[in-house]
Amino acid sequence: MNLASIYQVSTLNALMLGYTRKAIPVADLLRHGDTGLGTFENVDGEMIVVDGRCFRATDDGSVVEMNPEVGVPFASVAFLDGDVREFDLQKVAGVDALRNLLDLKIEEGFGLNSMHVVRIDGAFDVVRARSERGFSSQHVELKEILKDRQKDFAFENARGSLICLYHPDFMQGINAAGWHFHFISEDRTRGGHVFDVSIAEAHVRLKKLSQIRIQLPTEAAFDTYSLTKASQGDIKKVEQGK
């Protein structure tokens, strides 16, 4: 196994168009990485993979560890070890500032056209996040599912981890181009998909990834989706939590 690779289940375009069925179980996903992001069958909450364990953030911001047999329609994981860069952060005010700082760090390593997995552990002044409750459907777009089933919440003065993935612009639709952040508290009780964050102090581990393996769903229903019709504008709105 190449440890500088990312393993992905399905594509973001498929999720956006409403393919939310089980492609693989959590147990299979964890064989391919110890750090990552995703969601669960029927978009039932936000996934955080950390330390080789898989957690679900529910629509009230609480977190539970998931059964190995739970279905995964979309996720990305990698092993955060080996050739890892480390550095510290102080006083990062807002998610745009964090994106800019991480962009500079990967540019230093000539990595803007590569993928990256990042873990940021520390103290957070505020984390603004969201999650959603599940909805069983076929061909109902993600934006419609989230419209009525997504809830926002905030964590203040929290210690925990941001799990971050970066995909270059040319991969938009396969995954979300740019940075994608999920949070989980140090005690593993709170978390969600992050759309704003302010960091008091933190330690960062960053790994550049040069290969991607995509596991597409194998059931016939997957082939009924016209994946090029996913709206890139909708992807951006969903990613920003709006």
Side-chain angles (χ1 to χ4, degrees), residues 32 66 68 84 101 110 115 133 135 176 197 207 237:
H32 297 280
M66 296 308 288
V84 175
L101 188 151
F110 300 99
M115 298 158 291
R133 65 187 188 278
F135 180 69
V197 62
K207 183 175 180 179
K237 289 177 182 178

Side-chain angles (χ1 to χ4, degrees), residues 115-135:
M115 298 158 291
H116 297 266
V117 59
V118 179
R119 175 172 170 172
I120 303 175
D121 298 302
F124 298 83
D125 293 325
V126 63
V127 179
R128 303 192 187 283
R130 57 98 166 154
S131 191
E132 58 285 326
R133 65 187 188 278
F135 180 69

Side-chain angles (χ1 to χ4, degrees), residues 49-93:
V49 176
V50 60
D51 295 326
R53 299 164 65 190
C54 183
F55 298 89
R56 175 170 69 95
T58 65
D59 66 345
D60 65 358
S62 61
V63 164
V64 294
E65 190 163 4
M66 296 308 288
N67 184 293
E69 296 307 313
V70 169
V72 178
F74 176 75
S76 298
V77 294
F79 288 101
L80 187 55
D81 58 7
D83 187 13
V84 175
R85 296 170 59 194
E86 301 192 43
F87 55 93
D88 293 321
L89 295 180
Q90 297 287 336
K91 294 295 181 184
V92 181

Side-chain angles (χ1 to χ4, degrees), residues 27-40:
D28 286 0
L29 181 71
L30 294 180
R31 283 195 272 271
H32 297 280
D34 58 16
T35 307
L37 312 173
T39 189
F40 300 97

